[in-house]
């Protein structure tokens, strides 16, 4: 018994089924977002009609989805379908499912004969919210929420629409106040308690959030309550207790890819690098007109365990105080290990990286560790990147989880993987969209479901180590992506095609300052630049290359998942 036990209402299920590979091209990629679950559930329900083993998993995924993402549009409908399939739920949770399944949609386009006044008003209100959420005007935000959330018909729909933005604001009092603006009833009160627990999980310290999570009714929210409790205990350093709690949850939903990978990491933590390994690393930083942010990055680098690694910093044509910042850092690190390169103009990210890679001391290294100039590094970042790459010479790059710089530490990136494009896709003739990259966290809140290590197509360029051998095999960064955007992904694609995929080390989190605010936006010129570079990427590779790469990517992920799932089945004695 543990304090996060949950009712065992789910029938037993296996961890992996042949049907997963036969019918789902992306099962192995992850289930960390509600959109991913909603993409899998229709196919699972179809399979459940003829495959009894899929039926049990279908009910489990529907239950997990409705508990983990109760307000996500469409999720309640699958919960109702699981009831019809035979899942035994109590009347209180059934009422919540019926309510969420019938939540009215916002800005639903009317038919030609309907009055479109309400539709236009809601579209305008959604645009207003988009602008407000990127400002720092607490009074206006609360005024807007009072009107929309207090709507007796669509208050819950608006809560779903604004909730993640409210958490991302980094002002815990605002989402807490928002919950009190909704007109809750006796039947919806448990839903309010669940959202208060969600608020606590993301906005409070683990010590303060844990008792709020623990108070949730396990009969209503048992699966998510157990996960959240286990994750908070991990953050508190209570790994032993957390391991038992999450293991019990995994035995109930062993098909959950992210939970499988995460739990394996808890049982078999990846090795740490040795200090002597750092002699094979050259740390590379390039910057343009970000003197203050660069100073913070270099200060965190100075405070970290980089052992014998050398550092080269490139001033990419700056006209601010960047030069002074680099000279100060050189004195602090010592001129024998901190070299400064200065360019007269900004040559863009790809050229700056290639300039650094061409230096003799970098070519003589095994790893080139590129750092953005607006990140904050944890003390052990380099050793945590080096450890999992030991004795794996076929790894092209090693990267980590990138989060916002301030609480609630929203996720900016995890591992990137690829779906193959059909060779005769008619849409590709009009608007090429052929490099189909799966971003499995997509700017979500950091729930802890991405703290795993596995091979992948690409990792974030904010903080990653590149194997110099992969540069020799696949080439440098492509200057066509100047000034930036997709140059990292393109290089990782070429490295993967050369047989050297990336490795994601999700247990390491690096904080990224520049994109941590909702106020960060792009103007028309910047959007055009991004779209132009995406077009270059989409037209660079042949169908044969992309199909082969998608198949290879799938095979790496499946092999990794099967190995880790088998380990947990054997270790925990899963019976089906």
């Amino acid at each position: 018994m543990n304090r996060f036990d949950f009712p065992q209402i789910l029938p037993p299920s296996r961890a992996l089924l042949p049907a997963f590979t036969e019918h789902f091209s992306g099962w192995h990629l992850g289930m960390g977002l509600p959109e991913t679950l909603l993409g899998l559930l229709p196919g699972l329900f179809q399979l459940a009609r003829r495959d009894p083993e899929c039926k049990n998993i279908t009910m489990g995924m529907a239950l997990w989805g409705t508990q983990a993402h109760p307000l996500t549009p469409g999720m309640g409908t699958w919960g109702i379908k699981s009831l019809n399939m035979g899942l035994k739920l109590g009347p209180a949770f059934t009422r919540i499912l019926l309510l969420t399944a019938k939540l009215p949609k916002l800005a639903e386009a009317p038919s030609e004969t309907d009055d479109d006044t309400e539709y236009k008003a809601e579209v305008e209100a959604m645009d207003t919210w988009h602008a407000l959420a990127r400002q720092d005007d607490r009074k206006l935000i609360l005024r807007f929420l009072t009107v929309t959330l207090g709507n007796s018909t669509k208050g819950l729909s608006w809560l779903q629409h604004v909730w993640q933005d409210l958490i991302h604001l980094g002002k815990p009092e605002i989402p807490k106040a928002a919950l009190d603006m909704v007109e809750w009833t006796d039947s919806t009160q448990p839903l309010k308690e669940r959202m208060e627990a969600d608020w606590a999980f993301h906005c409070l310290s683990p010590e303060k959030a844990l008792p709020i999570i623990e108070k949730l009714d396990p009969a209503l929210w048992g699966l998510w309550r157990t996960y959240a409790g286990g994750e908070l205990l991990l953050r508190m350093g209570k790994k032993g207790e957390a391991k038992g709690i999450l293991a019990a949850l995994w035995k109930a939903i062993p098909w959950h890819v992210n939970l499988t990978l995460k739990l394996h990491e808890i049982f078999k933590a990846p090795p740490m690098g040795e200090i002597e390994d750092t002699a094979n690393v050259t740390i590379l930083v390039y910057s343009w007109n970000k003197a203050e942010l660069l100073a913070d990055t270099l200060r965190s680098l100075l405070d970290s365990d980089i052992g014998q690694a050398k550092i080269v910093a490139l001033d990419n044509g700056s006209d601010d105080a960047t030069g002074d910042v680099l000279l100060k850092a050189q004195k602090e690190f010592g001129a024998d290990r901190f070299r400064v390169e200065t360019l007269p103009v900004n040559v863009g990210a790809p050229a700056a990286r290639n300039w650094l890679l061409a230096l003799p001391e970098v070519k003589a290294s095994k790893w080139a560790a590129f750092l953005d100039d607006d990140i904050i590094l944890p003390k052990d970042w380099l050793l945590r990147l080096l450890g999992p790459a030991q004795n794996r010479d076929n790894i092209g790059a090693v990267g980590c989880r990138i989060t916002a710089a301030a609480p609630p530490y929203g996720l900016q990136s995890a591992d990137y993987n690829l779906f193959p494009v059909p060779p005769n896709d008619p849409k590709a003739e009009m608007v090429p969209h052929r490099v189909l990259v799966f971003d499995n966290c997509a700017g979500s809140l950091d729930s802890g479901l991405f703290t795993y290590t596995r091979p992948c197509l690409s990792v974030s360029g904010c903080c990653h180590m590149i194997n110099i051998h992969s540069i020799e095999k696949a080439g440098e960064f492509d200057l066509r992506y100047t000034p930036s955007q997709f140059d990292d992904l393109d290089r990782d694609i070429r490295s993967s095609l050369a047989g050297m995929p990336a490795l994601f080390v999700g247990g390491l989190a690096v904080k990224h300052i520049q994109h941590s605010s909702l106020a960060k936006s792009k103007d028309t010129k910047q959007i055009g630049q991004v779209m132009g570079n995406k077009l270059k990427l989409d037209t660079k590779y042949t169908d044969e290359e992309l199909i082969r790469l998608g198949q290879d990517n799938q095979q790496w992920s499946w092999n990794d998942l099967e190995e880790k799932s088998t380990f947990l089945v054997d270790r925990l004695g899963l019976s089906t």
Side-chain angles (χ1 to χ4, degrees):
M1 292 288 291
N2 65 66
R3 52 178 162 160
F4 288 100
D5 275 342
F6 53 91
Q8 300 294 328
I9 61 173
L10 288 175
S13 59
R14 288 168 58 189
L16 294 175
L17 294 177
F20 297 167
T21 55
E22 294 170 8
H23 298 281
F24 300 98
S25 61
W27 184 280
H28 57 289
L29 296 178
M31 302 165 180
L33 296 180
E35 295 84 359
T36 312
L37 296 174
L38 289 172
L40 293 170
L41 281 166
L44 266 181
F45 269 91
Q46 287 186 8
L47 285 175
R49 297 191 182 103
R50 58 181 185 270
D51 188 337
E53 288 188 307
C54 279
K55 178 180 178 180
N56 294 352
I57 294 169
T58 302
M59 290 190 289
M61 186 178 289
L63 183 61
W64 166 260
T66 53
Q67 291 189 2
H69 313 286
L71 285 181
T72 296
M75 198 68 78
T77 299
W78 296 108
I80 296 298
K81 288 180 180 292
S82 70
L83 278 173
N84 297 332
M85 188 176 281
L87 185 61
K88 304 297 183 184
L89 298 174
F93 195 65
T94 300
R95 285 194 292 270
I96 292 172
L97 290 180
L98 289 169
L99 171 73
T100 56
K102 295 178 180 179
L103 283 180
K105 295 180 180 179
L106 296 177
E108 189 170 18
S111 66
E112 294 182 1
T113 58
D114 291 336
D115 183 0
D116 64 355
T117 303
E118 182 179 359
Y119 166 73
K120 289 181 178 179
E122 287 182 354
V123 170
E124 183 178 350
M126 292 170 81
D127 290 341
T128 300
W129 171 249
H130 181 80
L132 279 177
R134 282 142 186 85
Q135 299 175 16
D136 191 22
D137 193 324
R138 185 178 182 276
K139 185 178 294 185
L140 280 178
I141 288 173
L142 290 175
R143 186 181 302 170
F144 177 90
L145 294 174
T146 300
V147 174
T148 55
L149 299 183
N151 185 308
S152 59
T153 303
K154 294 191 174 181
L156 279 176
S157 300
W158 273 106
L159 182 64
Q160 186 280 326
H161 182 71
V162 304
W163 184 248
Q164 185 160 292
D165 279 350
L166 290 177
I167 301 296
H168 275 306
L169 289 174
K171 301 177 185 297
E173 73 280 3
I174 294 181
K176 186 67 167 65
L179 290 176
D180 291 330
M181 297 175 185
V182 177
E183 294 184 8
W184 303 100
T185 64
D186 290 342
S187 61
T188 59
Q189 186 63 30
L191 187 57
K192 181 184 181 183
E193 293 168 359
R194 168 64 181 84
M195 300 310 295
E196 286 175 338
D198 201 62
W199 165 80
F201 181 84
H202 292 294
C203 296
L204 301 183
S205 68
E207 292 79 8
K208 291 182 178 179
L210 192 66
I212 297 175
I213 301 294
E214 196 170 356
K215 285 181 181 178
L216 282 177
D217 186 349
L220 301 179
W221 311 109
L223 298 181
W224 184 83
R225 173 180 177 271
T226 297
Y227 173 76
E231 173 62 16
L232 292 176
L233 288 167
L234 278 178
R235 297 179 186 182
M236 293 165 60
K238 298 183 178 182
K239 183 177 178 179
E241 186 179 2
K243 182 192 291 186
I245 289 169
L246 293 175
L249 175 63
W250 181 83
K251 292 177 74 172
I253 53 173
W255 43 263
H256 196 299
V257 171
N258 294 66
L259 183 59
T260 298
L261 300 175
K262 176 185 180 70
L263 188 60
H264 181 272
E265 191 102 344
I266 297 172
F267 275 96
K268 291 186 67 174
M272 295 284 286
E274 303 291 340
I275 287 295
E276 51 265 30
D277 298 332
T278 60
N280 298 319
V281 181
T282 303
I283 298 169
L284 306 176
V285 184
Y286 58 95
S287 185
W288 177 66
N289 285 348
K290 291 183 186 174
E292 292 185 9
L293 293 173
L294 176 63
D296 291 338
T297 296
L298 293 176
R299 193 172 301 113
S300 72
L301 178 61
L302 182 65
D303 293 339
S304 66
D305 296 327
I306 61 171
Q308 304 167 53
K310 298 288 183 68
I311 306 159
V312 183
L314 186 146
D315 181 349
N316 199 8
S318 301
D319 55 16
D320 65 352
T322 294
D324 297 332
V325 169
L326 293 179
L327 288 177
K328 179 183 177 183
Q330 190 175 51
K331 292 178 182 178
E332 292 174 328
F333 282 96
D336 61 326
R337 69 178 313 191
F338 192 101
R339 173 177 170 177
V340 177
E341 292 277 309
T342 303
L343 299 181
V345 295
N346 182 352
V347 297
R353 286 170 165 168
N354 290 345
W355 183 286
L356 292 168
L357 288 170
L359 298 173
E361 60 266 48
V362 179
K363 285 185 172 182
S365 301
K366 180 177 180 180
W367 297 101
F370 280 98
L371 305 179
D372 272 10
D373 54 6
D374 58 350
I375 60 175
I376 303 299
L377 298 160
K379 186 176 180 61
D380 59 356
W381 71 274
L382 185 55
L383 299 180
R384 295 189 74 170
L385 288 178
L386 282 168
Q390 290 175 356
N391 304 317
R392 300 179 73 169
D393 292 336
N394 67 327
I395 293 298
V398 186
C400 60
R401 198 165 99 252
I402 305 298
T403 75
Y409 303 118
L411 267 178
Q412 294 183 7
S413 67
D415 52 331
Y416 297 95
N417 292 283
L418 188 70
F419 287 112
V421 63
N424 297 313
D425 184 359
K427 295 179 181 178
E429 297 177 4
M430 297 183 294
V431 182
H433 183 50
R434 301 169 60 254
V435 181
L436 304 177
V437 177
F438 178 68
D439 177 1
N440 66 0
C441 69
S444 64
L445 297 167
D446 194 354
S447 65
L449 281 171
F450 299 90
T451 54
Y452 50 76
T453 298
R454 69 169 174 179
C456 60
L457 173 72
S458 183
V459 290
S460 171
C462 288
C463 173
H464 66 157
M465 293 195 317
I466 294 179
N467 189 332
I468 295 298
H469 184 47
S470 77
I471 296 293
E472 297 167 354
K473 288 187 68 175
E476 300 173 323
F477 292 90
D478 192 333
L479 298 182
R480 285 176 289 183
Y481 298 101
T482 301
S484 188
Q485 294 293 337
F486 303 112
D487 46 315
D488 289 312
L489 174 59
D490 173 71
R491 198 218 69 87
D492 286 345
I493 287 175
R494 285 183 280 118
S495 179
S496 295
L497 284 169
M500 301 186 71
L503 182 68
F504 173 66
V505 182
L508 168 64
V510 167
K511 299 173 183 175
H512 189 205
I513 296 172
Q514 183 170 345
H515 298 289
S516 62
S517 171
L518 285 170
K520 180 69 179 178
S521 61
K522 292 181 173 66
D523 58 26
T524 303
K525 183 179 179 181
Q526 290 172 312
I527 293 172
Q529 177 68 45
V530 172
M531 292 176 66
N533 280 352
K534 182 60 168 67
L535 181 61
K536 296 171 191 175
L537 183 71
D538 281 327
T539 55
K540 183 173 183 177
Y541 298 96
T542 66
D543 285 344
E544 290 74 17
E545 286 175 319
L546 293 177
I547 291 171
R548 173 166 65 86
L549 186 55
Q551 292 169 344
D552 288 347
N553 193 171
Q554 184 181 49
Q555 195 61 55
W556 307 326
S557 300
W558 267 113
N559 290 347
D560 180 77
L561 177 60
E562 287 178 341
E563 178 185 339
K564 292 172 179 177
S565 180
T566 299
F567 169 86
L568 291 175
V569 168
D570 293 342
R571 184 66 176 263
L572 300 177
L574 181 67
S575 60
T576 61

